[in-house]
């Protein structure tokens, strides 16, 4: 980014809304992806942005993109920076557009139950504002404290109560997006119509590669009268999966079905919730009117009972609900020096168990001797299937960062290949980012060139978040620069 | 808090974990008014760690980042594993001061604190405490910015039968110095208060500001290595008055006519203390009528600071002003015409950004009701 470009940007947002400070550039070079954290930890720098810009309006975003478009300058939209896939990493330098100043709630409509807000608003702040009016945006991801509204939508995120309320993409009614050439586009005001293709969907999951989401209208819900939670214990994953399938296919409407495999139950559930259990721990929740929620719960418990589940009662379910985000705070969360990756997938009921068993066997079989473990839980359910939120875990990352990255990538190769071979999608809700970019061609096969043509049409210069979602590169590596050995003083 | 026990964590360990944790972002007030990633808890931890690892150095820019934290404690108060990130920030600031890299504004405050005992450059009478069953920490803000608040607090204490010896008249308890990394100065101020309280032989100490309670209960031990007399509990005047209101020792006369709609601002540092947030609201409801209350500003157990904390008004007046403006905007949005608080530093800071909103001190307001009986 040249001095002249910086002057042009300053003319748009003001000089005090642009930073080229080293301290800022370092902070904006790392998101919640393990890989750049590991490199930084080992004394190397991953690419940093040339400049960080803080627009205060959609019009300013548009002007910034016009400048970038004309100058062929890479642009990375940045919301909360809390994505786990490296989607916000400035792999090619350029301009980071931090959208957090776009944080206004524009309308809360209690009659039609929607909220219109700018995309940079923090999820927790938005939820507080809605709660004060007896409403909720029923998208409760683990990142709700830190992610932005735009960050909910860009990678097609799911929250803990998606089984009833849907993913973020199911809650969105309309968006405003700025295209790479600065054009401001607003999608139709309602999502369900028959006036041609639903082009809003193009931008959901595009992770900033097609433009910058600047505003969204989201469906909200009235806070429920009750939320009932209960926990049961299954002897194994297969039985629990069958219980979940029966609940969903019989059209029960659970808020949550969340089943931890025996390894997760023994490790994470014990560590965070304090229960020592052997088997597959499942939380089931219903909300709404008390009598309806209770009746649904009774039906669900009958299903579990038929399959031999042990009823653990209400308290272990409620405790999970109250502490559902605790899993993500250090030291309870997976953090360096461990190596870890969430290799989650989604598929139909008829394939789920096979995918789980195959991935477990592949990862433990290939890397078990090196200490790599495999854990998983099933947390987002549909009438046709569910997501498997599975992870690999190595307690101590190899000291040599290159060796660490090679091992990390090899585990990912095995996990993704196994998912694809067994009919799974390579992820359900974290998005693609940099991490899964190299797998997109294999995921989509003959359909991939179509997505590339769409990308080419929208972003002919390839300035938008290059290297992400599989666009523009065959196999993106994260270039690193040695700074100095990172021995902590 | 999580159900699982968490072992105590040192400040150095906190930055190790916090640098890649984003879970408290929604409660960080500075992040909310600046909208800058670098001014959020994880980024402060990452900056401190990066300096410790030789990837950044303490220079003008990184020091500026470090001093943008409000040291309000909301991140730690929210954290389910109780990471003492504010202590880590204060420790890093102390390192910066020791290295001679602190901003001139910080060193100017240090000079004033050393010369006057307060950051306002106001001369104070020499300490001459006599024995009393209890002591009232006046501190710097009440003495330097609004002595009427201190006088009102004395009236209220007298009204419930408490005779307290004023101590630390016009002298900081050390919280500001601690926040700014001026630990030698903070230690001297803390030692002076401990000495004074010891001389009074007070069996309990009352404070007018949550900042002072936080200093005594946490800063002295956790940051400065000072030992507060174990037999001397610290209570804030507001909680004491609310208790007296509850048991009938404090009687307040409602004002004649309708009170303008009001909002209450929980002083900076309140969320990091185990203070009953209902106490000031009960007092206000008794004095002004509950029907005039407009906003609680208490979301999930947290209230945002107004910027009169962490030395922000000296190092980053723009951020401090934005925080005050945000609280004023909250009050306006709620339809309040009065904004009331019990901390004089907050009161003065809010008043500077209040526009047409009337900012009032809780103690003076309550004292007027007592006097009218």
């Amino acid at each position: 980014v040249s001095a002249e470009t910086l002057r042009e940007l300053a003319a748009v947002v003001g000089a005090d809304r642009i930073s080229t400070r080293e301290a800022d550039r370092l902070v904006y070079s790392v998101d919640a992806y393990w890989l750049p954290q590991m490199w930084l930890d080992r004394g190397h720098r991953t690419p940093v942005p040339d400049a960080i810009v803080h627009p205060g309006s959609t019009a300013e975003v548009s002007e910034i993109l016009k400048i970038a478009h004309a100058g062929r300058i890479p642009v990375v939209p940045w919301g909360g920076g809390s994505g786990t896939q490296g989607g916000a990493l400035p792999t090619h330098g350029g301009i980071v557009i931090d959208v957090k100043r776009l944080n206004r709630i524009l309308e809360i409509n209690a009659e039609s139950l929607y909220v219109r807000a700018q995309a940079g608003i923090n999820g927790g702040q938005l939820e507080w504002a809605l709660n004060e009016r007896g409403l909720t945006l029923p998208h409760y991801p683990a990142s709700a404290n830190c992610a932005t509204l735009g960050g909910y939508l860009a990678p097609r995120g799911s929250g803990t109560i998606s089984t009833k309320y849907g993913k973020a993409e199911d809650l969105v009614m309309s968006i405003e997006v700025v295209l790479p050439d600065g054009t401001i586009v607003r999608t139709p005001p309602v999502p369900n119509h028959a006036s041609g293709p639903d082009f809003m969907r193009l931008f959901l999951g595009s992770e900033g590669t097609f433009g910058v989401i600047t505003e969204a209208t989201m469906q909200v819900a009235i806070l429920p009268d009750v939320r009932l939670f209960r926990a049961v214990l299954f002897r194994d994953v297969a039985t629990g999966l069958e219980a979940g399938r029966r609940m969903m296919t019989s059209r029960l409407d659970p808020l949550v079905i969340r089943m931890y495999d025996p390894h997760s139950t023994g490790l994470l559930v014990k560590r965070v919730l304090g229960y020592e259990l052997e088997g597959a721990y499942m939380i089931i929740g219903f909300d709404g009117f008390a009598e309806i929620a209770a009746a649904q719960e009774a039906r669900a418990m009958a299903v579990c009972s038929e399959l031999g589940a042990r009823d653990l009662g209400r308290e272990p379910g409620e405790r999970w609900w109250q502490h559902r985000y605790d899993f993500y705070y250090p030291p309870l969360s997976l953090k360096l020096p461990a190596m870890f990756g969430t290799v989650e997938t989604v598929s139909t009921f008829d394939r789920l168990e096979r995918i789980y068993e195959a991935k477990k066997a592949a990862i433990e079989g290939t890397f078990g001797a090196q200490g790599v473990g495999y854990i998983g839980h099933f947390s987002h359910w549909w009438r046709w299937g569910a997501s498997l939120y599975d992870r690999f875990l190595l307690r101590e990352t190899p000291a040599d960062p290159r060796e660490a990255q090679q091992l990390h990538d090899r585990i990912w190769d095995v996990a993704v290949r196994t998912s694809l071979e067994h009919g799974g999608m390579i992820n359900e809700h974290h998005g693609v980012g940099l991490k899964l970019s190299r797998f997109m061609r294999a995921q989509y096969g003959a359909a991939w060139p179509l997505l590339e043509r769409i990308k080419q049409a929208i972003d002919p210069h390839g300035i938008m978040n290059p290297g992400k979602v599989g666009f523009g590169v065959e196999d993106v590596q994260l270039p690193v620069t040695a700074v100095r050995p990172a021995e902590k003083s | 808090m999580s159900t699982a026990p968490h072992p105590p964590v040192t400040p150095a360990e906190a930055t190790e974990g916090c640098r890649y944790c984003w879970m408290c972002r929604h409660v960080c007030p500075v992040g909310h008014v600046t909208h800058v990633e670098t001014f959020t808890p994880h980024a402060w931890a990452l900056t401190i760690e990066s300096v410790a690892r030789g990837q950044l150095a303490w220079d003008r820019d990184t020091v500026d980042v470090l001093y943008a934290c409000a040291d309000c404690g909301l991140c730690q108060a929210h954290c389910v594993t109780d990471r003492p990130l504010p202590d880590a920030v204060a420790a890093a600031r102390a390192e910066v001061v020791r290295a001679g890299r602190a901003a001139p504004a910080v060193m100017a405050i240090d000079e004033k604190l050393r010369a006057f005992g307060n950051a306002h450059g106001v001369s104070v009478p020499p300490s001459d405490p006599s024995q009393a069953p209890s002591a009232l920490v006046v501190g710097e803000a009440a003495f330097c910015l609004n002595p009427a608040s201190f006088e009102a607090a004395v009236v209220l204490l007298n009204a419930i039968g408490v005779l307290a010896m004023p101590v630390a008249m016009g002298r900081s308890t050390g919280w500001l110095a601690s926040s700014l990394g001026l630990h030698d100065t903070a230690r001297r101020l803390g030692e002076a208060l401990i000495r004074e309280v010891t001389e009074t032989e007070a069996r309990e100490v009352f404070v007018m500001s949550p900042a002072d309670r936080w200093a005594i209960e946490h800063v002295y031990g956790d940051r400065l290595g000072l030992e507060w007399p174990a037999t001397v509990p610290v209570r804030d005047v507001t909680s004491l008055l609310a208790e007296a209101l509850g048991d009938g020792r404090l009687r307040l006369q409602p004002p004649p006519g309708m009170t303008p709609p009001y909002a209450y601002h929980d002083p900076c540092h309140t969320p990091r203390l185990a203070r009953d947030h209902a106490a000031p609201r009960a007092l206000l409801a008794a004095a002004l009528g509950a029907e005039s209350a407009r906003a609680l500003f208490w979301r999930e157990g947290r209230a945002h600071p107004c910027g009169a904390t962490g030395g922000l008004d000296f190092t980053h007046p723009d951020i401090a002003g934005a925080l005050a403006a945000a609280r004023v905007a909250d009050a306006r949005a709620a339809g309040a015409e009065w904004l009331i608080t019990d901390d004089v530093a907050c009161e003065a800071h809010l008043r500077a950004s209040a526009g047409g909103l009337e900012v009032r001190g809780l103690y003076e307001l309550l004292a007027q009701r007592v006097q009218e009986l």
Side-chain angles (χ1 to χ4, degrees):
Chain A
V1 175
S2 67
E4 175 58 27
T5 300
L6 291 175
R7 279 193 291 276
E8 289 178 46
L9 293 169
V12 174
V13 296
D16 59 337
R17 301 293 188 186
I18 298 175
S19 175
T20 56
R21 300 199 304 186
E22 194 61 18
D24 291 314
R25 295 170 78 206
L26 183 136
V27 165
Y28 283 91
S29 73
V30 190
D31 64 7
Y33 181 19
W34 176 87
L35 192 61
Q37 296 177 6
M38 185 277 294
W39 279 111
L40 197 58
D41 205 47
R42 304 294 159 88
H44 291 69
R45 281 285 188 83
T46 53
V48 297
D50 296 309
I52 303 104
V53 186
H54 304 271
S57 68
T58 298
E60 288 185 359
V61 174
S62 170
E63 293 304 314
I64 293 165
L65 288 182
K66 284 176 187 172
I67 293 167
H69 187 71
R72 313 289 198 265
I73 301 166
V75 172
V76 180
W78 182 288
S82 54
T84 58
Q85 309 297 78
L89 298 179
T91 50
H92 294 64
I95 299 167
V96 161
I97 299 180
D98 186 336
V99 298
K100 283 197 283 288
R101 283 181 68 209
L102 303 176
N103 69 338
R104 285 187 300 133
I105 296 173
L106 303 168
E107 180 186 4
I108 296 176
N109 191 307
E111 182 182 5
S112 298
L113 289 182
Y114 64 80
V115 60
R116 188 163 63 90
Q118 291 183 302
I121 191 168
N122 172 272
Q125 294 277 309
L126 175 59
E127 185 63 14
W128 281 339
L130 291 167
N131 289 170
E132 285 168 3
R133 294 167 184 246
L135 302 172
T136 180
L137 172 61
H139 179 63
Y140 296 178
S143 61
N145 293 354
C146 40
T148 57
L149 177 57
Y152 285 176
L153 295 168
R156 304 178 66 176
S158 291
T160 46
I161 58 173
S162 70
T163 300
K164 176 169 181 175
Y165 292 98
K167 291 161 62 92
E169 65 189 273
D170 301 314
L171 296 165
V172 66
M173 297 175 67
S174 174
I175 60 171
E176 177 189 74
V177 60
V178 184
L179 301 183
D181 66 356
T183 305
I184 300 170
V185 173
R186 190 177 283 274
T187 66
V190 294
N192 302 104
H193 58 80
S195 293
D198 184 0
F199 74 94
M200 178 176 73
R201 301 272 152 195
L202 263 182
F203 298 97
L204 307 176
S206 69
E207 301 181 30
T209 60
F210 290 173
V212 181
I213 298 172
T214 49
E215 188 186 307
T217 303
M218 305 292 292
Q219 299 174 60
V220 297
I222 297 167
L223 281 167
D225 289 358
V226 296
R227 282 178 175 141
L228 303 180
F229 294 96
R230 204 168 188 97
V232 294
L233 190 69
F234 289 97
R235 62 179 175 274
D236 53 32
V237 163
T239 318
L241 276 175
E242 175 58 13
R245 186 193 70 80
R246 290 188 193 181
M247 283 184 246
M248 295 307 296
T249 55
S250 63
R251 293 270 163 184
L252 288 177
D253 204 10
L255 177 74
V256 170
I257 301 175
R258 193 178 189 93
M259 179 179 67
Y260 292 86
D261 76 354
H263 195 172
S264 283
T265 301
L267 187 71
L268 297 181
V269 172
K270 179 183 175 187
R271 185 162 72 190
V272 179
L273 300 180
Y275 298 124
E276 293 209 39
L277 300 165
E278 288 186 10
Y281 168 76
M282 178 188 279
I283 301 101
I284 305 167
F286 293 92
D287 71 349
F289 296 119
E291 67 276 21
I292 295 175
Q296 292 230 17
E297 185 189 72
R299 281 284 183 180
M301 292 308 294
V303 169
C304 295
S305 178
E306 284 165 15
L307 290 164
R310 190 174 123 211
D311 182 3
L312 299 174
R314 199 166 292 292
E315 195 273 341
E318 289 169 349
R319 184 184 292 200
W320 171 81
W321 175 251
Q322 287 157 7
H323 297 277
R324 64 192 183 280
Y325 298 148
D326 291 11
F327 291 81
Y328 306 97
Y329 289 77
L332 303 175
S333 54
L334 300 181
K335 293 285 177 193
L336 287 166
M339 177 193 289
F340 54 89
T342 302
V343 293
E344 47 118 351
T345 186
V346 56
S347 190
T348 48
F349 287 127
D350 57 328
R351 292 170 170 165
L352 265 180
E353 188 190 348
R354 265 184 292 149
I355 293 174
Y356 168 76
E357 294 295 350
K359 288 176 80 174
K360 184 175 172 59
I363 290 175
E364 291 181 346
T366 311
F367 305 103
Q370 292 166 267
V372 178
Y374 176 84
I375 58 176
H377 62 261
F378 299 82
S379 46
H380 308 281
W381 298 66
W382 291 268
R383 307 296 173 196
W384 44 261
S387 81
L388 163 58
Y389 187 107
D390 50 348
R391 291 161 150 179
F392 66 82
L393 171 64
L394 176 62
R395 291 196 184 282
E396 281 293 332
T397 300
D400 176 14
R402 284 180 178 77
E403 183 189 334
Q405 177 164 354
Q406 284 169 4
L407 176 61
H408 172 267
D409 290 353
R410 280 173 51 222
I411 299 171
W412 270 100
D413 287 343
V414 168
V416 169
R417 189 174 66 235
T418 309
S419 286
L420 293 176
E421 283 172 359
H422 291 79
M425 291 294 291
I426 57 175
N427 98 100
E428 187 271 326
H429 70 265
H430 285 94
V432 178
L434 175 68
K435 185 193 281 183
L436 298 178
S437 211
R438 63 197 172 98
F439 301 114
M440 290 297 277
R441 191 175 294 277
Q443 172 75 73
Y444 282 91
W448 181 247
L450 171 63
L451 272 77
E452 286 188 314
R453 286 204 295 275
I454 294 170
K455 166 72 173 174
Q456 174 67 22
I458 296 175
D459 182 20
H461 303 319
I463 63 167
M464 293 306 301
N465 212 1
K468 314 296 169 53
V469 198
F471 293 124
V473 282
E474 283 294 315
D475 186 359
V476 179
Q477 294 294 325
L478 192 62
V480 295
T481 311
V483 178
R484 52 172 288 175
E487 289 300 321
K488 200 171 159 184
S489 61
Chain B
M1 295 291 289
S2 169
T3 52
H6 304 291
V9 173
T10 66
E13 290 167 337
T15 52
E16 182 96 18
C18 295
R19 68 188 159 144
Y20 299 136
C21 175
W22 283 254
M23 295 302 282
C24 61
R25 177 205 298 278
H26 63 314
V27 300
C28 175
V30 173
H32 277 298
V33 297
T34 61
H35 317 293
V36 173
E37 190 72 31
T38 315
F39 294 162
T40 61
H42 96 88
W44 285 310
L46 181 58
T47 301
I48 292 168
E49 279 286 318
S50 297
V51 170
R53 292 162 187 270
Q55 294 173 327
L56 289 174
W58 290 128
D59 56 24
R60 195 180 63 177
D61 289 345
T62 48
V63 168
D64 177 72
V65 168
L66 185 67
Y67 276 86
C69 167
D71 190 15
C72 66
L74 275 166
C75 53
Q76 187 176 358
H78 166 79
C79 181
V80 300
T81 54
D82 198 27
R83 305 261 125 179
L85 182 58
D87 290 346
V89 170
R93 289 174 178 177
E95 181 187 321
V96 165
V97 169
R98 278 195 300 274
R101 296 189 179 277
V106 172
M107 301 321 296
I109 294 301
D110 193 35
E111 279 182 31
K112 284 186 180 172
L113 286 170
R114 285 169 182 266
F116 299 97
N118 61 66
H120 304 281
V122 174
S123 297
V124 298
S127 166
D128 185 25
S130 52
Q131 290 183 0
S134 59
L136 173 66
V137 175
V138 179
E140 68 170 321
F143 183 88
C144 300
L145 300 177
N146 183 11
S149 68
F150 154 59
E151 291 156 11
V154 170
V155 167
L156 290 162
L157 289 173
N158 290 344
I160 62 172
V162 174
L163 298 175
M165 172 60 56
V167 293
M169 288 276 278
R171 199 180 64 239
S172 171
T173 52
W175 67 265
L176 173 63
S178 160
S179 280
L180 291 171
L182 304 167
H183 282 188
D184 288 345
T185 303
R187 203 169 286 116
R188 269 197 284 275
L189 291 165
E191 286 167 346
L193 176 59
I194 292 171
R195 193 164 48 246
E196 231 180 340
V197 167
T198 304
E199 286 172 12
T200 64
E201 297 183 8
R203 292 188 295 277
E204 57 185 344
V205 165
F206 303 115
V207 295
M208 296 172 61
S209 161
D212 291 330
R213 201 180 126 199
W214 172 68
I216 295 167
E217 291 184 349
H218 296 282
V219 171
Y220 288 3
D222 296 344
R223 295 186 184 176
L224 304 176
L226 296 177
E227 198 168 332
W228 180 259
T231 56
V232 183
V234 182
R235 298 196 63 190
D236 60 272
V237 173
T238 301
S239 297
L240 184 73
L241 294 174
E243 186 180 290
L245 180 72
D247 64 22
R249 283 180 293 133
L250 178 66
R251 290 195 298 151
L252 301 169
Q253 182 172 311
M258 278 295 292
T259 303
Y262 65 87
Y264 172 73
H265 168 68
D266 293 277
C268 304
H269 302 292
T270 306
R272 71 201 319 174
L273 298 169
R275 185 173 103 148
D276 178 10
H277 82 281
R281 291 163 174 83
L283 290 164
L284 284 168
L288 302 178
E291 66 279 1
S292 295
R294 284 296 178 271
L296 296 174
F297 302 143
W298 193 262
R299 292 166 175 161
E300 293 190 355
R302 311 282 174 257
H304 277 183
C306 67
T309 174
L312 275 185
D313 36 358
F314 304 106
T315 64
H316 290 78
D318 53 336
I319 296 176
L323 286 167
R327 302 291 77 77
V328 168
D330 278 347
R332 284 190 196 288
E337 294 176 20
W338 287 2
L339 182 54
I340 301 165
T341 189
D342 39 349
D343 185 303
V344 175
C346 293
E347 183 188 332
H349 188 65
L350 285 166
R351 191 169 285 128
S353 298
L357 197 71
E358 191 171 339
V359 180
R360 306 197 61 165
L362 176 69
Y363 300 134
E364 291 160 83
L365 198 149
L366 295 176
Q368 286 171 6
R369 302 292 175 268
V370 169
Q371 286 165 345
E372 287 168 7
L373 276 173

